[in-house]
């Protein structure tokens, strides 16, 4: 098949491109090589055509779509900083432009696969002993300032327990999550209305070799490993007991391949199905790096973070896909790769400073 990967010069795109090539597909990439991830020509494997362009520009889509049958849409703006306008310009407007061109009918595209995110769930599903299954509101600023991390039941305000969250209910708690939901809704609605096969893959926290350390704003493993490489202990946000589902980029690439080749239209969580606390991740990294098990927990929090992310992967498993890599292998691989990289400090200090200055990361009282 002829596949266009938007954002194909990025972390997930490059790995998926390699896998697709090895399976005999023809791959091209639309990417504007946005900083801070890119600071030079990307290391794309031979045989992949790079269309340098921007998903916000109609003429760049026209050039890139030529001859392609499937679009894997990964290009997006990801940010915890308050760049709200850009989130919607790149993510929502970019996706709307794609469908504008598909509906005009001058392309061979019959399927769109969107790389989405757990950010659309916000706090996800909880169980309250009194009110049953509930979906908490985004956590309130006053509660976080007091260091109250767990969201209450939205009905009785009492304590509730986090549950695995399936694909059915979405309630984003950040501007980024809203922009991903806007993308999803465009893909679903316009795909169905205009008979274009569509798939939405909601990825967990994707890890692995070559995750760009230049973008040190988010990604627990990347940030912990960067600090460790600079001789500093990992700093856990909140109390470190937040649950996350970490998934290896190779497993995500296999899910992308299945979506392109065979999965039925629909929305799927793509995650390992094994939740770990952020503290577990830090301890695992310290162990594989052979360092003292020392972490710092100063009570900082990041505005817009959900407390727990525990996706249900039953649907994708039923379709024959299952994650293979475990937490320790992911941590070891990233740590080994990072040792070979130059100039780590330049990126890390800048990101930490910016997050504090913009009030994105704050200290509880
Ligand atoms: N990495 C994760 O943990 C994670 C988790 C959930 C969802 N996702 C989703 O996966 C997708 C890919 O993520 P990634 O981790 O590979 O990110 P990445 O930043 O490594 O790659 C994104 C690519 O998009 C390109 N890009 C950005 N703006 C563009 C524009 N306007 N026009 C064209 N290209 C543009 C960038 O140059 C980059 O190469 C995203 O849609 C993201 O929402 C990633």
């Amino acid at each position: 098949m002829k596949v266009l990967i938007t954002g194909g010069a990025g972390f997930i795109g490059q790995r998926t491109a390699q896998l697709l090539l090895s399976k005999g597909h023809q791959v091209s990439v639309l990417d504007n090589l946005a900083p801070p991830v890119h600071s030079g020509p990307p290391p794309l494997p031979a045989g992949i055509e790079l269309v340098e362009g921007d998903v916000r520009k109609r003429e760049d889509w026209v050039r890139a779509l030529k001859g392609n049958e499937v679009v894997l849409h990964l290009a997006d703006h990801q940010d915890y900083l308050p760049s709200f306008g850009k989130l919607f310009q790149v993510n929502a407007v970019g996706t709307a432009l794609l469908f504008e061109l598909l509906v005009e009918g001058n392309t061979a595209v019959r399927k769109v696969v969107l790389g989405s995110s757990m950010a659309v769930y916000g706090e996800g599903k909880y169980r309250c002993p009194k009110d049953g299954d509930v979906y908490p509101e985004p956590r309130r600023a006053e509660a976080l300032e007091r260091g109250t991390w767990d969201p209450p039941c939205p009905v009785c305000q009492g304590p509730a327990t986090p549950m695995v969250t399936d694909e059915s209910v979405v309630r984003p708690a950040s501007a980024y999550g809203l922009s991903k939901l806007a993308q999803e809704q465009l893909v679903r609605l316009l795909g169905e209305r205009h008979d274009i096969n569509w798939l939405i893959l909601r990825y967990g926290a994707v890890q692995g070799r070559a995750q760009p350390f230049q973008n040190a704003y988010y990604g627990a493993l990347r940030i912990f490993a960067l600090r460790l490489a600079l001789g500093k202990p990992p700093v856990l946000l909140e109390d470190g007991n937040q649950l996350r589902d970490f998934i290896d980029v190779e497993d995500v690439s296999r899910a992308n391949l299945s979506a392109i080749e065979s999965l039925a239209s629909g929305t799927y969580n793509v995650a390992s199905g094994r939740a770990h606390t952020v503290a577990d991740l830090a301890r695992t990294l310290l162990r594989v790096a052979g360092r003292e098990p020392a972490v710092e927990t100063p009570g900082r929090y990041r505005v817009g973070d959900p407390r727990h992310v525990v996706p249900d992967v039953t649907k994708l498993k039923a379709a024959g896909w299952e994650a293979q890599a475990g937490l320790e292998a992911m941590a070891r691989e990233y740590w080994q790769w990072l040792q070979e990289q130059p100039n780590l400090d330049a990126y890390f200090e800048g990101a930490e400073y910016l997050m504090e200055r913009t009030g994105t990361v704050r200290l509880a009282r």
Side-chain angles (χ1 to χ4, degrees):
M1 261 183 285
K2 292 184 176 176
V3 182
L4 171 68
I5 308 182
T6 72
F11 173 48
I12 298 172
Q14 280 199 34
R15 298 299 269 269
T16 305
Q18 280 162 0
L19 181 61
L20 289 173
L21 275 185
S22 74
K23 299 288 176 190
H25 296 291
Q26 234 172 290
V27 182
S28 59
V29 158
L30 169 63
D31 201 301
N32 71 346
L33 309 182
V37 169
H38 301 285
S39 52
L44 287 175
I48 293 183
E49 187 201 352
L50 170 66
V51 178
E52 206 173 321
D54 194 312
V55 295
R56 289 167 291 185
K57 291 190 181 150
R58 190 182 155 90
E59 61 274 22
D60 292 348
W61 272 116
V62 171
R63 279 193 298 138
L65 286 171
K66 229 169 245 160
N68 282 299
E69 298 155 297
V70 179
V71 177
L72 173 60
H73 187 25
L74 299 178
D76 89 337
H77 180 58
Q78 307 172 43
D79 217 340
Y80 272 94
L81 302 174
S83 58
F84 306 134
K86 191 171 177 189
L87 282 173
F88 283 83
Q89 281 156 6
V90 177
N91 301 353
V93 174
T95 308
L97 272 175
L98 163 65
F99 275 87
E100 229 173 84
L101 288 160
L102 300 191
V103 169
E104 282 173 14
N106 299 319
T107 79
V109 173
R110 7 176 244 277
K111 186 185 260 193
V112 174
V113 179
L114 173 69
S116 188
S117 162
M118 298 291 154
V120 299
Y121 294 124
E123 297 297 344
K125 182 172 166 179
Y126 277 64
R127 187 157 296 156
C128 168
K130 276 208 256 165
D131 299 301
D133 289 349
V134 290
Y135 293 83
E137 301 291 336
R139 293 181 293 168
R140 299 176 71 89
E142 313 88 85
L144 294 172
E145 272 170 33
R146 286 195 311 273
T148 302
W149 308 126
D150 289 305
C153 166
V155 183
C156 69
Q157 304 304 316
T161 310
M163 306 295 292
V164 288
T165 297
D166 68 16
E167 290 86 350
S168 58
V169 178
V170 283
R171 299 195 67 175
S174 64
Y176 174 64
L178 274 175
S179 76
K180 294 305 284 184
L181 184 57
Q183 280 192 305
E184 285 195 2
Q185 288 180 335
L186 283 161
V187 167
R188 188 182 307 110
L189 181 81
L190 299 176
E192 288 201 346
R193 181 168 296 162
H194 298 284
D195 238 355
I196 299 160
N197 292 318
W198 60 274
L199 284 106
I200 293 166
L201 303 182
R202 294 180 181 148
Y203 307 138
V206 187
Q207 313 294 328
R209 199 181 156 74
Q211 185 173 33
F213 58 86
Q214 294 89 336
N215 184 351
Y217 296 98
Y218 59 89
L221 179 57
R222 161 170 53 193
I223 295 173
F224 294 164
L226 261 178
R227 279 190 66 88
L228 213 56
L230 300 175
K232 301 174 181 187
V235 175
L236 309 183
L237 293 178
E238 304 186 12
D239 58 1
N241 291 324
Q242 310 90 296
L243 289 167
R244 293 288 182 271
D245 189 307
F246 301 102
I247 178 158
D248 189 77
V249 67
E250 300 298 344
D251 287 327
V252 169
S253 301
R254 285 191 301 106
N256 290 338
L257 176 73
S258 301
I260 287 163
E261 288 184 343
S262 57
L263 281 179
S265 284
T267 303
Y268 301 84
N269 286 337
V270 180
S272 73
R274 294 177 293 271
H276 295 275
T277 65
V278 171
D280 274 346
L281 175 70
R283 280 192 289 264
T284 304
L285 175 66
L286 288 163
R287 197 169 54 246
V288 302
R291 302 288 176 92
E292 289 294 306
V295 296
E296 288 176 9
T297 315
R300 287 208 195 114
Y301 61 95
R302 193 167 47 196
V303 178
D305 264 358
R307 173 64 174 159
H308 300 297
V309 180
V310 192
D312 183 343
V313 291
T314 310
K315 190 169 170 186
L316 198 53
K317 268 188 169 177
W321 174 94
E322 192 160 3
Q324 290 168 358
L327 194 65
E328 186 152 331
M330 284 183 242
R332 180 172 295 111
E333 184 166 275
Y334 194 63
W335 179 247
Q336 284 171 353
W337 176 80
L338 202 67
Q339 305 308 298
E340 299 153 15
Q341 308 309 311
N343 295 334
L344 300 180
D345 47 345
Y347 299 98
F348 183 72
E349 303 280 339
E352 267 208 339
Y353 170 72
L354 205 58
M355 301 277 272
E356 300 241 347
R357 190 173 60 82
T358 54
T360 310
V361 170
R362 302 179 189 174
L363 191 62
R365 280 186 241 137

